[in-house]
Amino acid sequence: GENVEQHPSTLSVQEGDSAVIKCTYSDSASNYFPWYKQELGKRPQLIIDIRSNVGEKKDQRIAVTLNKTAKHFSLHITETQPEDSAVYFCAASKGGFKTIFGAGTRLFVKA
Amino acid sequence: DAGVIQSPRHEVTEMGQEVTLRCKPISGHDYLFWYRQTMMRGLELLIYFNNNVPIDDSGMPEDRFSAKMPNASFSTLKIQPSEPRDSAVYFCASTNLPGRSPLHFGNGTRLTVT
């Protein structure tokens, strides 16, 4: 079955710096890769997603890149702000099947 | 749409008691997922349904756990008997097409078993 590994588990950056979170997946048939943000005590919420026919997608300060050959995808947050502090989860899925999550990255943005 | 609705938000029970968690998915979403979240194990998929039919329950930890979806707008996750190690946040999520659309999570049920 699918396995998703996520690194780092904890990331601390200074406000205004960039943050990068990396994930790898095992099932080459996976074709959809969402990223979720979970604030303390809240539910996970989608922040950006990418499909396997696209190499990069950007939405304001966040971007995601996908390397299908390496089975690797990454989340990039630029100009980080204190409100970006949260746990971020990557995930992988394929049509009609379950979504598997990475272990999560706890991001701290220091003001 | 009100989103995915879960109840109760918090549940505190004693070991050995039966616990029932409830979920109402977003109308029109054919897929419903139950996840358990703990610090140690992260977000674990317990079971998921498509058109009210259980598709994969390989994540259900043991026979003490059971889930049903009697209709398109309601699902339950039952633990009987409950144990302290079941303490976690249980999330329900729905989507209309996994693999193309994101999951929409409910607010979760925080279960504490003493």
Side-chain angles (χ1 to χ4, degrees):
Chain A
E2 176 65 282
N3 182 51
V4 178
E5 295 194 358
Q6 183 172 348
H7 300 279
S9 57
T10 305
L11 179 60
S12 184
V13 300
Q14 204 67 37
E15 182 179 1
D17 288 350
S18 295
V20 180
I21 302 170
K22 299 180 179 182
C23 290
T24 59
Y25 60 100
S26 60
D27 188 346
S28 57
S30 290
N31 57 7
Y32 178 65
F33 307 93
W35 286 86
Y36 295 84
K37 175 183 180 182
Q38 186 178 28
E39 297 176 348
L40 189 62
K42 303 266 183 83
R43 60 186 172 170
Q45 291 190 284
L46 178 80
I47 54 170
I48 195 168
D49 56 7
I50 191 168
R51 293 181 175 79
S52 58
N53 58 345
V54 176
E56 183 174 359
K57 183 177 179 180
K58 190 173 182 180
D59 183 4
Q60 299 182 345
R61 294 187 298 109
I62 60 173
V64 58
T65 59
L66 172 65
N67 182 329
K68 285 178 58 180
T69 303
K71 291 188 281 188
H72 172 273
F73 58 115
S74 300
L75 177 71
H76 304 252
I77 306 174
T78 59
E79 300 173 22
T80 53
Q81 301 168 2
E83 51 264 40
D84 294 330
S85 297
V87 178
Y88 292 81
F89 293 94
C90 63
S93 68
K94 55 187 178 183
F97 291 87
K98 53 193 176 185
T99 298
I100 301 300
F101 285 82
T105 296
R106 189 171 296 276
L107 174 65
F108 297 95
V109 180
K110 296 176 287 186
Chain B
D1 198 316
V4 176
I5 300 173
Q6 289 186 248
S7 64
R9 287 297 308 275
H10 303 274
E11 178 78 42
V12 180
T13 191
E14 293 184 347
M15 182 174 63
Q17 296 298 306
E18 177 179 297
V19 175
T20 299
L21 311 181
R22 297 171 177 80
C23 176
K24 175 178 167 44
I26 291 173
S27 177
H29 283 187
D30 296 330
Y31 289 82
L32 183 141
F33 299 76
W34 282 101
Y35 284 89
R36 177 171 69 177
Q37 186 175 37
T38 61
M39 287 294 292
M40 292 298 296
R41 301 174 70 89
L43 273 165
E44 298 176 275
L45 177 65
L46 301 178
I47 185 171
Y48 79 100
F49 296 83
N50 176 216
N51 290 325
N52 314 337
V53 176
I55 303 300
D56 186 341
D57 65 354
S58 59
M60 296 287 260
E62 48 198 275
D63 292 346
R64 298 184 298 106
F65 286 69
S66 62
K68 294 181 180 179
M69 192 164 186
N71 58 62
S73 59
F74 183 65
S75 177
T76 60
L77 178 67
K78 186 175 293 186
I79 308 173
Q80 165 64 17
S82 58
E83 297 182 4
R85 60 191 167 123
D86 301 331
S87 297
V89 179
Y90 290 80
F91 285 104
C92 174
S94 70
T95 185
N96 53 0
L97 191 59
R100 292 191 182 178
S101 300
L103 298 179
H104 296 260
F105 284 84
N107 287 323
T109 294
R110 181 174 295 278
L111 173 65
T112 302
V113 183
T114 60

